[in-house]
Amino acid sequence: MTARRVGEIGERRPISFQFDGRRLQGLEGDTIASALLANDVRVIGRSFKYHRPRGIYGAGVEDPNGLVDVTLSGKTSPNVRATTEKLVDGMVVRAGNADPGAETDRHGFIDRLAQFIPAGFYYKTFMWPDWHLFEPRIRAMAGLGRLDPTHEPPADSPQINERCDVLVIGAGPAGLTAARAASRAGKRVILVDDQTQPGGSLLYRDVTLEGIQGADWAQSVGAELSGAGQRVLTNSTAYGVYQHNLACVWERRLGQSDALWQIRAGQIILATGAIERPLVFPDNDRPGVMSAEAALVFLKRHGLLVGQKIVLATNNTRTDDGIDALRKAGAEVRVADRRSGAEITGVEGKSGVTAVWINGERVIADCLLVSSGFSPTVHLYAQATGKLRYDEQTAALVPAKPVSGLAVIGAANGTFDLGPSLAEAHAAGGGSGDVPIIDWAYAPYAIEAVWPVTGAKGRQWIDFQNDVTVKDIELAARENYRSVEHLKRYTTLGMATDQGKTSNLNGLATMAAITGRSIDATGTTTYRPPYVPVPLKIIAGRRRGELYNPVKRLVLEPQHRDAGAVFREYGGWLRPAYYGTGADQREIQREARIARETVALLDGSPLGKIEVFGPQAGAVLDFNSYNTISTLKPGRLRYGFMLTESGVIYDDGVVAKVSDTHYIVSCSSGHVDGVLMPLEEWRQDRFNPAEVVIHNSTPQWATLTATGPRARDLVARLELGVDLDDVSLPHMAFVEATFAGGPARLARVSFTGDRSYEVSVPSLAAPDLFTQMRALLAEFGGCLLGSEALLLLRAEKGYIIAGKDTDGTTIPADLGINGPRDKRRDEFVGKRSLFTENAQRTDRQQLVGLTVHSAEPLPTGAHAVELADGKRRSIGFVTSSYFSPVLNRPIALGLIERGLARLGEDIMLYHLGKTLRATISDPCAFDRDGGRLNA
Amino acid sequence: MQLFTCPFCGPRAETEFFYGAEAGKTRPEPASDVKAEAWAAYLHTNANPKGATREIWLHQTCGEFFLMERDTVTHDVVQSVSLRGDAA
Ligand SMILES: [Zn+2]
């Protein structure tokens, strides 16, 4: 091919770039493909399976061949589509699937073995003796492109939600006409197009609309829409249509990160045009064989004549204007028209067309342009549940039935002539008045269908990117993979990154011919989003890294950091795990020891604070709790469980009764949402919602807990305005207080087994409270307490963490707590489940303590086992395990079969090949009579 | 992404909603009178129809549970009804 620039579009700035190590020059406005063609680069990459040399075939998203790796500013992006990627100064481009380069690919020899590796070859050949022997080598050769591990694009793609009355996809003549009609009718319109400017085919076909040259007309309609306040998105590809008319659009923005638009439209109008099909003949994949329409696009949009001695093979009238344009630009064009019997029988030129055989005549040529007619771009219609039918007259699959809320117009609807197409567009847009008048000098669309034929000499390519030939389809038919879905998967037809935009209809028409069925009866495969490969970056948007699953943060986080906290995530909250710079276990042991000796201060702010107000507040809580709540005296607290309807313990916590019409549920920090949901559900479903209101005030209050023998002395110094003596404020009591002139709440509740005070203040007052309490800590020789030491202190007392020391089967009886089950007459959530056969089995796993007689704590998760017929059988597992500084020995909790009946029994445990022993004991290992609560 | 209608807030994105249950299930009680089979059916048996369904959904952003009639095949949302009053 001797491609050259022709002076069609004026002066443009030069752009330098590299391809396979060569320095080249393109022009502003070029795609990578047009720049390579202008430099006479014909082999742009190697095919996926056989490593055949391939060149540019198309001019847009349909091109199956032009996948390249692009390095820009040191970052490499694999599998970039050369025909749609704008050329940028300094781009380093490498041929796709070629090593070291397109011309000199070292795997090129594979093509000579092609007859031995037909469709299904890998499935059949590497079964014996074992696929895994072959897998590493085959995997290394499979796949396309090279990922750059250093290239992690920033999470900066916005996702924009938008609504409109009418979304028009495609800004060719039909789309522009529909959008303008809708806009003039007063609709809110969004127009989306994947090119740099509106116009579609008007940018390369010589049409006059309403007396104005096509490209200028397109520009004026675009300006009218923008002027009317409508949104025109160029460089934007609508890649998916989802339920209820949601369209997803990938916008490429100059100098900014790409954006994802999620547009909910009252009506979607698809004006997506059509894609030219290749003619299929032996060696039709040679570099230099190109879509006839693509050649016209390169000529008119890039000032590039793709060849000097051109053969143009066609079966339809839509190549007429292109032939004239190419001749006018100075090319010699020999037309081989199938309608007058001219058939291509062969192509010469391994790395670029040198000669074409027409009916046995050898014609010297540097380029072979082909057109087998047009396939409507029905992808989005089909995604939106549209069904297709084969239209004999246009030899095309066209929309067969209307889809609610969606209209397909113009070439996408199989209406290939501009006049009728614009009439359709005008009507779809709700236009009044006249349809735009056109002036087009060429014949109406007419085609004589030409489908691939079997039995030809040489290979005829259907799917260029995945290397599927007519013979492969014959093989699939012989082996009875005749359904199109089987054909696709067996041969990989249409499964490459172009998703068969040029190959699908040729492929299934071939199968139809082989099996003697009609094209309609053969059917099509399912169309799925995305229409084009979309960067995962825009789908992920900003939900990556820290924002992937954002943690909840404490209002006092800066103060904790200042105090040397090491943070970890607990139940969705970022909390201090421990403080200090020493080894974690040392710091945790230190904190736990000091908490037992003097006093420690814990930030308990994440603890749930769900407030329940109203005359039915007590009734709602009684129904949702295992323990009766409403019988509490005002100012008192009760510990209890919340069950699921299956009777399983979902959460444990403390409920405070402020008054008969106000309760505060203090649930686990990680379960606030999960507790809120059933409370709200039952409130609305079972009670009078006018008589009870539930409000989550967790984020509004910060809670600092002082725990330890000196806790009262410390809290007394805060001047909260309340009596702290054990008569006024006994264990499990609650009082409203004041702090620094504002409200405060003081609760005596203990998660450590030591005397403890929870001081809650509005979040804004928290820094003040923290500063005061931390200063007092120093005075009492106390310390800050992280979550790890708290877990340890809880475990010493046998206090459970719901979901850690219980699992998805644990019911209250498994903790030995049967009072409410046996005594409550009223209904409560989960009640019936506590009386099932399963709930009353005697071999249930029950919570017990595990005492070990060595210095090494048991591994959490270790299985308790017993031997049956010489085999180990799991009878439970370790749920929590620590070294207790106050007991100077390991402690553990576990769920063990019949555990409560086995106190004192020795059991065997097994973990990662090691056998361990422990004695079943009471879960409470420390201060069993609870004396320290009031010490 | 589907578009659901909250009877209070109007049409909103599917992600704002949370599925509750099939409509019309009554909690069998009192527990002492409920046969195991009836309780198991309450907990676990769902009609899961293909086509027209009646379901309870929660609109998380306003906190209201409501009845939604929709079609699991066509994804048409037929109507949404408040549970305030005597519906469902
Ligand atoms: Zn709502």
Side-chain angles (χ1 to χ4, degrees):
Chain A
M1 175 158 43
T2 41
R4 61 186 170 91
R5 299 279 186 183
V6 287
E8 291 259 339
I9 46 177
E11 280 299 296
R12 289 182 295 161
R13 190 174 62 86
I15 291 178
S16 40
F17 71 107
Q18 284 185 36
F19 178 71
D20 276 354
R22 289 164 60 199
R23 292 187 177 282
L24 302 173
Q25 207 170 67
L27 294 176
E28 190 175 11
D30 265 336
T31 59
I32 293 174
S34 66
L36 287 173
L37 287 170
N39 282 280
D40 223 14
V41 173
R42 315 185 71 177
V43 181
I44 194 175
R46 295 286 176 141
S47 68
F48 177 56
K49 188 173 169 188
Y50 300 128
H51 287 254
R52 295 263 293 187
R54 291 280 163 78
I56 295 295
Y57 165 82
V61 294
E62 78 286 1
D63 180 62
N65 294 337
L67 290 182
V68 292
D69 294 350
V70 172
T71 307
L72 193 61
S73 316
K75 303 292 185 193
T76 300
S77 305
N79 299 330
V80 172
R81 198 173 295 277
T83 49
T84 57
E85 191 74 13
K86 270 181 81 106
L87 188 71
V88 173
D89 239 324
M91 261 185 177
V92 176
V93 181
R94 286 180 64 194
N97 207 35
D99 182 9
E103 288 281 3
T104 52
D105 173 47
R106 75 169 71 154
H107 288 119
F109 72 91
I110 290 175
D111 188 41
R112 294 197 295 275
L113 310 176
Q115 59 173 305
F116 305 111
I117 42 177
F121 169 74
Y122 291 92
Y123 300 144
K124 292 171 184 165
T125 310
F126 297 105
M127 295 295 289
W128 188 90
D130 182 359
W131 156 249
H132 295 103
L133 294 178
F134 307 102
E135 188 180 1
R137 282 291 297 281
I138 292 172
R139 289 247 184 264
M141 273 177 57
L144 278 178
R146 288 164 280 249
L147 264 185
D148 175 357
T150 68
H151 187 188
E152 190 183 328
D156 60 357
S157 282
Q159 300 190 326
I160 305 162
N161 295 306
E162 181 60 291
R163 287 190 294 167
C164 62
D165 300 319
V166 180
L167 169 65
V168 181
I169 298 171
L176 285 166
T177 300
R180 187 177 68 174
S183 177
R184 286 180 176 176
K187 299 284 173 49
R188 205 173 148 206
V189 179
I190 299 177
L191 175 63
V192 172
D193 192 87
D194 66 352
Q195 296 295 303
T196 51
Q197 66 192 93
S201 62
L202 299 177
L203 301 176
Y204 53 87
R205 290 198 195 271
D206 201 6
V207 189
T208 302
L209 292 97
E210 298 173 329
I212 308 171
Q213 192 272 332
D216 295 338
W217 180 85
Q219 198 171 17
S220 75
V221 175
E224 178 184 331
L225 290 169
S226 301
Q230 314 291 14
R231 197 184 285 283
V232 179
L233 292 173
T234 52
N235 292 311
S236 298
T237 309
Y239 65 79
V241 170
Y242 302 85
Q243 289 103 345
H244 301 160
N245 268 16
L246 181 79
C248 284
V249 176
W250 163 34
E251 184 191 15
R252 298 166 293 281
R253 305 186 300 177
L254 201 66
Q256 275 181 292
S257 58
D258 293 2
L260 170 63
W261 290 78
Q262 302 184 107
I263 302 171
R264 185 80 67 177
Q267 193 198 5
I268 296 178
I269 298 178
L270 297 177
T272 43
I275 291 171
E276 197 172 45
R277 280 191 303 275
L279 281 165
V280 177
F281 44 80
D283 286 329
N284 59 330
D285 71 326
R286 298 280 194 216
V289 179
M290 185 183 282
S291 145
E293 188 179 53
L296 190 55
V297 171
F298 286 122
L299 178 64
K300 295 291 186 176
R301 299 205 61 196
H302 301 286
L304 173 73
L305 187 57
V306 294
Q308 192 56 43
K309 288 178 75 68
I310 296 173
V311 173
L312 189 146
T314 182
N315 66 345
N316 65 82
T317 53
R318 195 44 51 85
T319 42
D320 296 353
D321 59 329
I323 294 164
D324 284 356
L326 292 164
R327 282 179 177 152
K328 201 175 143 209
E332 244 178 76
V333 182
R334 159 94 180 249
V335 178
D337 195 324
R338 279 294 293 262
R339 290 168 299 172
S340 45
E343 200 170 334
I344 306 295
T345 49
V347 184
E348 289 179 21
K350 192 164 172 280
S351 49
V353 174
T354 52
V356 177
W357 290 80
I358 306 172
N359 294 348
E361 175 198 353
R362 186 169 185 272
V363 178
I364 299 295
D366 58 4
C367 180
L368 171 54
L369 302 181
V370 292
S371 175
S372 180
F374 288 79
S375 295
T377 306
V378 291
H379 301 65
L380 298 177
Y381 162 79
Q383 286 177 22
T385 72
K387 296 277 174 278
L388 304 173
R389 67 172 176 85
Y390 180 69
D391 182 65
E392 294 278 354
Q393 181 143 17
T394 54
L397 288 168
V398 298
K401 62 155 187 132
V403 170
S404 152
L406 193 128
V408 192
I409 59 170
N413 196 34
T415 309
F416 291 105
D417 283 313
L418 199 51
S421 160
L422 296 192
E424 254 176 35
H426 192 67
S432 52
D434 293 335
V435 177
I437 297 166
I438 59 152
D439 184 5
W440 162 252
Y442 293 90
Y445 187 62
I447 179 171
E448 189 184 304
V450 174
W451 302 120
V453 290
T454 56
K457 245 180 100 184
R459 279 180 289 170
Q460 308 184 79
W461 304 86
I462 302 268
D463 183 326
F464 297 119
Q465 197 176 124
N466 264 356
D467 280 339
V468 179
T469 63
V470 173
K471 280 207 170 69
D472 290 319
I473 296 174
E474 287 182 85
L475 179 74
R478 267 205 311 281
E479 300 192 348
N480 211 24
Y481 293 102
R482 293 176 176 216
S483 129
V484 284
E485 297 288 358
H486 288 157
L487 167 68
K488 168 178 169 174
R489 284 156 185 86
Y490 191 59
T491 63
T492 71
L493 171 73
M495 285 174 69
T497 65
D498 64 337
Q499 289 283 290
K501 289 186 178 62
T502 54
S503 63
N504 277 346
L505 185 53
N506 276 338
L508 65 94
T510 307
M511 180 57 91
I514 292 169
T515 55
R517 292 174 296 180
S518 68
I519 289 175
D520 266 332
T522 306
T524 60
T525 52
T526 308
Y527 291 80
R528 295 189 181 86
Y531 168 64
V532 295
V534 170
L536 291 175
K537 166 187 151 84
I538 70 138
I539 292 170
R542 289 174 173 151
R543 295 188 309 271
R544 281 163 53 197
E546 212 175 312
L547 294 181
Y548 176 65
N549 189 10
V551 288
K552 296 174 183 163
R553 311 190 84 126
L554 299 168
V555 67
L556 291 173
E557 184 178 321
Q559 284 79 1
H560 293 301
R561 290 203 184 278
D562 191 51
V566 174
F567 283 83
R568 286 179 193 162
E569 192 238 297
Y570 299 88
W573 282 86
L574 195 64
R575 304 181 68 170
Y578 61 91
Y579 298 81
T581 53
D584 55 357
Q585 282 311 317
R586 243 190 77 198
E587 303 287 12
I588 293 162
Q589 294 280 313
R590 171 184 59 79
E591 290 171 14
R593 185 171 41 75
I594 293 173
R596 292 278 184 229
E597 284 169 7
T598 56
V599 58
L601 182 63
L602 172 89
D603 189 342
S605 302
L607 212 62
K609 296 164 206 80
I610 297 170
E611 315 221 12
V612 186
F613 299 95
Q616 287 204 4
V620 167
L621 288 172
D622 284 347
F623 182 68
N624 278 284
S625 308
Y626 182 51
N627 312 67
T628 307
I629 301 297
S630 60
T631 51
L632 271 171
K633 281 192 212 133
R636 289 291 188 270
L637 310 170
R638 183 164 290 159
Y639 172 81
F641 298 130
M642 191 164 176
L643 309 183
T644 67
E645 279 282 47
S646 311
V648 169
I649 296 170
Y650 174 70
D651 193 44
D652 68 335
V654 167
V655 183
K657 182 173 189 172
V658 184
S659 72
D660 282 336
T661 57
H662 183 195
Y663 296 78
I664 302 170
V665 181
S666 188
C667 55
S668 305
S669 52
H671 286 166
V672 177
D673 297 335
V675 167
L676 211 48
M677 172 94 172
L679 281 177
E680 192 58 49
E681 184 180 347
W682 288 117
R683 165 189 170 259
Q684 293 183 34
D685 195 26
R686 188 178 179 94
F687 297 91
N688 180 355
E691 292 191 0
V692 55
V693 161
I694 297 165
H695 171 68
N696 175 19
S697 68
T698 308
Q700 283 138 33
W701 293 87
T703 301
L704 291 172
T705 304
T707 180
R710 303 294 306 274
R712 176 166 54 181
D713 301 335
L714 186 149
V715 173
R717 298 276 297 278
L718 290 173
E719 294 171 20
L720 300 171
V722 293
D723 283 338
L724 295 180
D725 65 84
D726 287 352
V727 179
S728 305
L729 190 67
H731 179 56
M732 298 305 268
F734 163 92
V735 65
E736 297 198 88
T738 58
F739 173 74
R745 292 167 170 176
L746 185 60
R748 264 196 76 186
V749 57
S750 178
F751 296 113
T752 61
D754 276 317
R755 176 184 285 274
S756 303
Y757 295 84
E758 284 182 356
V759 190
S760 299
V761 294
S763 286
L764 288 178
D768 217 8
L769 180 66
F770 184 79
T771 307
Q772 287 194 30
M773 291 182 88
R774 202 178 158 205
L776 291 165
L777 269 186
E779 214 174 293
F780 289 95
C783 72
L784 291 166
L785 184 70
S787 292
E788 291 299 322
L790 176 69
L791 290 169
L792 191 167
L793 296 170
R794 285 180 75 140
E796 285 177 344
K797 289 294 298 176
Y799 295 159
I800 63 156
I801 306 275
K804 181 174 194 290
D805 300 304
T806 66
D807 67 11
T809 68
T810 310
I811 60 175
D814 300 331
L815 309 183
I817 301 172
N818 294 317
R821 181 194 72 184
D822 298 341
K823 295 196 187 96
R824 277 185 76 171
R825 295 274 151 258
D826 56 339
E827 279 297 313
F828 58 89
V829 172
K831 182 178 186 180
R832 180 62 183 82
S833 294
L834 304 181
F835 296 94
T836 61
E837 219 173 281
N838 183 53
Q840 300 189 67
R841 269 184 17 233
T842 54
D843 61 346
R844 295 183 60 87
Q845 294 187 353
Q846 297 164 328
L847 187 81
V848 291
L850 296 169
T851 306
V852 287
H853 307 289
S854 67
E856 188 72 13
L858 293 171
T860 302
H863 276 266
V865 294
E866 64 182 21
L867 292 175
D869 302 328
K871 284 194 176 130
R872 284 186 299 268
R873 183 180 79 85
S874 173
I875 57 166
F877 58 97
V878 177
T879 61
S880 289
S881 176
Y882 300 94
F883 189 88
S884 162
V886 70
L887 297 169
N888 195 31
R889 65 170 174 85
I891 53 160
L893 298 171
L895 287 165
I896 307 292
E897 250 177 52
R898 292 187 298 107
L900 292 172
R902 296 167 118 172
L903 291 185
E905 251 182 55
D906 275 355
I907 56 165
M908 187 161 75
L909 296 107
Y910 186 80
H911 184 71
L912 302 178
K914 266 171 69 178
T915 300
L916 307 152
R917 304 208 75 83
T919 306
I920 296 184
S921 53
D922 192 286
C924 180
F926 179 66
D927 188 35
R928 209 157 293 163
D929 63 5
R932 292 177 63 97
L933 283 169
N934 290 307
Chain B
M1 190 196 303
Q2 302 187 67
L3 199 60
F4 290 162
T5 302
C6 167
F8 304 92
C9 311
R12 310 286 302 174
E14 179 187 348
T15 47
E16 290 184 10
F17 296 83
F18 197 89
Y19 175 74
E22 286 183 352
K25 263 194 177 182
T26 311
R27 187 178 194 269
E29 42 186 64
S32 49
D33 294 351
V34 178
K35 294 230 173 343
E37 291 74 13
W39 186 248
Y42 165 67
L43 288 182
H44 304 298
T45 306
N46 286 303
N48 196 20
K50 180 179 179 180
T53 73
R54 299 173 82 239
E55 298 164 333
I56 305 299
W57 284 76
L58 167 66
H59 187 212
Q60 299 180 87
T61 38
C62 75
E64 286 285 338
F65 286 82
F66 64 94
L67 172 78
M68 181 157 60
E69 291 182 32
R70 61 186 197 103
D71 191 300
T72 56
V73 177
T74 63
H75 293 131
D76 288 340
V77 175
V78 180
Q79 63 166 346
S80 292
V81 183
S82 162
L83 296 178
R84 301 293 179 95
D86 51 13

